[in-house]
Amino acid sequence: MKKFRFPLCLFSLTLLIPHLAVAQTQPVAVTMAADAGGAVLAPRFLGLSYEMSMLLPMDGRYYFDANDQALVNIFQTLGIKSLRVGANAVDDARIPIPQEKDIDMLFNFARAAGVKVIYSFRLKNGDPTNSARLATYIAAHDADVLDSFSIGNEPYLFRPDGSYNAFFPHWKPHYDAILNAMPQAMFDGPSANGDFALRLAKDMLAGGHMAMVSDHYYFLGSGRAAETNPPASRARFLSNRLDNDYARDYARVGAVLAAEGAPYRIDEMNSCYNGGAKDSSDTYASTLWALDCTHWWAAHHILGMNFHTGESVGRDGKFGPPNYASFLRQADGPGFTMRPQAYALLAFTQGAHGQPLGVTVQATNNFNFNAYAYQDKDGSIYVTLINKSYGDQAQAAAVSLQLPHATASGTWQRMDLVQKDQDVAAKTGVMLGGASVNPQGIWAGQWTAVDGGNSGSLTVQVAPASATILHFSPTK
């Protein structure tokens, strides 16, 4: 996706979000290419990642329970298609290894929610024979909702020298034991950093059993460091400078794997590591960041992303509630409380269908605005416009939108992602399509018709600290 930024002449506005008015307006031009030349969005692109400890019952109750309709609803409403379990807990001696009953509960939930599972086995002081035994059980009972197996988590954190050469001799016996027991087994790995991913692809891709090569990213660094200055951290979340970081990381890992034909997934990611940053990862700033980040990587045709979440995650050498959680179980009643980041996943699901299109954005260099587009198989086009300006620098974006030249006439609809006070530090009050997700995972947001929009061009206003999703339906 190419983006060019330079001043444009101010053009007229045709659409306003009611009740949101600002003094200044920034002109933006967004143009889409006729053909991006890439694959359609992977069917299991959007995922969540959990600690392996979340498979174990607490106070006699399982988190993953097919009868928990609220959690099933949330997965389906947000559009979650991939469920990865592992993370720090998979290699923590304090956490028991899940057994058959725990596994049954997980996969029954996955079946109810409509997701496929990336299932991890213990690597640190783990037993390859036991890994093979449990893998055989999963394959016999749950092959229909199994994506792949993974072995260990971030092994450079516990091996003596933290090197790939120290990791591989421990990893390979588990791989061999599982493959000997299950000749058709497929794997995700190494669930580590990009260097490990490149090395494992080189060593194992030719064997035909790597479903994907994976790494982990926490794009905003340390959670504890970010907490020392929350306003500055939120500004980093909303800066287009992150695009340069994504591009550098993709060139170093994703582009190399793509050239080798290796499916690439970021199977654990979020804003800040060690559980996220209080007053940044748990705010509306994280909503706009996560929506932008997810679209950026989708536009580069990777296999998918799994946002790390759950009631408890590894942080600061122990386990505790994450600041970056997408949702948390309510303490005083049934159901879940939606955190701001959940709305990024919901908004992505509404606006990402089909093939990512090339997009050119023309705007001033210091205006934090991004745009993404997709064309579905029925010819419909979805466009997401993200205005990350806020506070004293808040400016509405007056967007002149041009679809590919071959686009016929049709009709437009829109849906807006907002926080009711345009407050990026807020932790509540987020809505998409005029509605929030309730504790039972039900969302009643609506598309609204765009008056006067009946062609391949449109002018639309996007309020500060908001995103607008547009849907163009060509005339049949």
Side-chain angles (χ1 to χ4, degrees):
M1 175 179 56
K2 298 187 296 181
K3 298 193 176 181
F4 303 99
R5 300 179 178 275
F6 51 84
L8 300 175
C9 294
L10 188 64
F11 41 74
S12 62
L13 309 182
T14 60
L15 293 170
L16 295 172
I17 299 177
H19 80 271
L20 295 180
V22 293
Q24 293 181 304
T25 302
Q26 187 69 235
V28 178
V30 175
T31 305
M32 275 145 280
D35 183 2
V40 300
L41 184 73
R44 294 191 292 277
F45 183 90
L46 192 61
L48 294 177
S49 165
Y50 283 85
E51 301 285 339
M52 187 59 76
S53 52
M54 296 296 294
L55 274 66
L56 303 172
M58 180 172 291
D59 299 326
R61 181 181 184 183
Y62 280 96
Y63 179 88
F64 293 112
D65 184 345
N67 294 317
D68 187 343
Q69 193 59 52
L71 189 58
V72 170
N73 289 343
I74 288 169
F75 269 61
Q76 294 177 342
T77 295
L78 299 186
I80 304 304
K81 299 298 183 183
S82 171
L83 172 57
R84 176 252 184 179
V85 292
N88 286 0
V90 74
D91 284 323
D92 194 311
R94 297 169 294 182
I95 308 297
I97 295 174
Q99 298 300 309
E100 286 85 348
K101 172 62 174 175
D102 313 312
I103 290 170
D104 288 343
M105 293 297 291
L106 170 70
F107 281 93
N108 285 338
F109 169 81
R111 201 170 282 112
V115 300
K116 289 206 171 185
V117 176
I118 300 170
Y119 192 92
S120 303
F121 297 109
R122 182 161 295 177
L123 176 61
K124 184 180 183 181
N125 299 321
D127 177 4
T129 301
N130 191 50
S131 296
R133 177 183 68 83
L134 293 174
T136 301
Y137 179 85
I138 292 170
H141 294 82
D142 303 302
D144 59 316
V145 284
L146 173 67
D147 186 322
S148 55
F149 295 122
S150 185
I151 302 163
N153 179 75
E154 298 176 0
Y156 45 80
L157 295 179
F158 62 79
R159 291 299 168 197
D161 64 0
S163 72
Y164 179 85
N165 289 337
F167 149 78
F168 189 73
H170 292 274
W171 183 91
K172 187 63 160 49
H174 289 263
Y175 172 92
D176 289 338
I178 293 170
L179 201 58
N180 286 336
M182 292 176 51
Q184 303 304 316
M186 298 298 291
F187 294 84
D188 163 31
S191 296
N193 62 24
D195 293 333
F196 275 52
L198 294 173
R199 291 285 300 275
L200 191 67
K202 181 179 179 181
D203 286 341
M204 302 303 300
L205 191 62
H209 290 278
M210 294 303 297
M212 65 195 80
V213 179
S214 63
D215 62 359
H216 294 174
Y217 278 114
Y218 286 85
F219 296 98
L220 280 301
S222 164
R224 303 296 78 75
E227 288 171 350
T228 63
N229 190 341
S233 296
R234 292 192 294 269
R236 289 175 56 228
F237 275 52
L238 299 173
S239 172
N240 271 8
R241 292 178 183 176
L242 285 173
D243 293 357
N244 297 327
D245 296 341
Y246 302 155
R248 182 186 63 246
D249 292 335
Y250 177 77
R252 185 175 62 89
V253 180
V256 175
L257 292 173
E260 295 174 354
Y264 169 51
R265 186 176 195 95
I266 304 176
D267 70 1
E268 181 184 320
M269 56 81 64
N270 218 300
S271 54
C272 300
Y273 60 83
N274 276 332
K278 185 176 182 292
D279 297 327
S280 294
S281 300
D282 53 354
T283 68
Y284 181 57
S286 75
T287 311
L288 298 175
W289 163 75
L291 178 61
D292 195 3
C293 178
T294 308
H295 274 297
W296 193 98
W297 288 91
H300 287 75
H301 305 288
I302 73 169
L303 195 60
M305 309 175 79
N306 294 72
F307 282 80
H308 201 46
T309 190
E311 302 294 306
S312 178
V313 301
R315 49 178 297 175
D316 309 312
K318 51 188 178 181
F319 293 91
N323 294 304
Y324 51 54
S326 295
F327 45 85
L328 291 172
R329 189 176 294 279
Q330 290 186 329
D332 57 353
F336 293 79
T337 298
M338 293 298 108
R339 304 287 289 277
Q341 196 173 95
Y343 291 91
L345 310 183
L346 179 62
F348 178 83
T349 294
Q350 304 311 306
H353 302 274
Q355 180 190 35
L357 297 176
V359 175
T360 299
V361 175
Q362 298 173 340
T364 56
N365 287 327
N366 60 353
F367 189 50
N368 291 312
F369 179 96
N370 273 331
Y372 304 91
Y374 303 76
Q375 186 164 28
D376 210 351
K377 58 186 178 182
D378 65 356
S380 295
I381 293 178
Y382 293 83
V383 184
T384 295
L385 309 171
I386 309 172
N387 182 352
K388 298 178 289 183
S389 70
Y390 69 96
D392 293 341
Q393 303 299 314
Q395 293 180 293
V399 182
S400 174
L401 187 69
Q402 182 63 57
L403 296 184
H405 292 301
T407 304
S409 62
T411 58
W412 289 90
Q413 293 177 301
R414 72 180 288 165
M415 180 179 288
D416 294 296
L417 173 66
V418 301
Q419 196 283 329
K420 63 183 182 66
D421 301 313
Q422 295 181 304
D423 182 4
V424 300
K427 301 181 181 182
T428 59
V430 184
M431 296 184 293
L432 178 66
S436 298
V437 181
N438 74 19
Q440 296 305 307
I442 304 301
W443 171 67
Q446 299 290 323
W447 293 93
T448 59
V450 176
D451 293 336
N454 59 7
S455 69
S457 61
L458 186 71
T459 301
V460 60
Q461 178 164 303
V462 182
S466 78
T468 294
I469 307 169
L470 296 167
H471 177 209
F472 177 79
S473 298
T475 301
K476 300 300 184 181

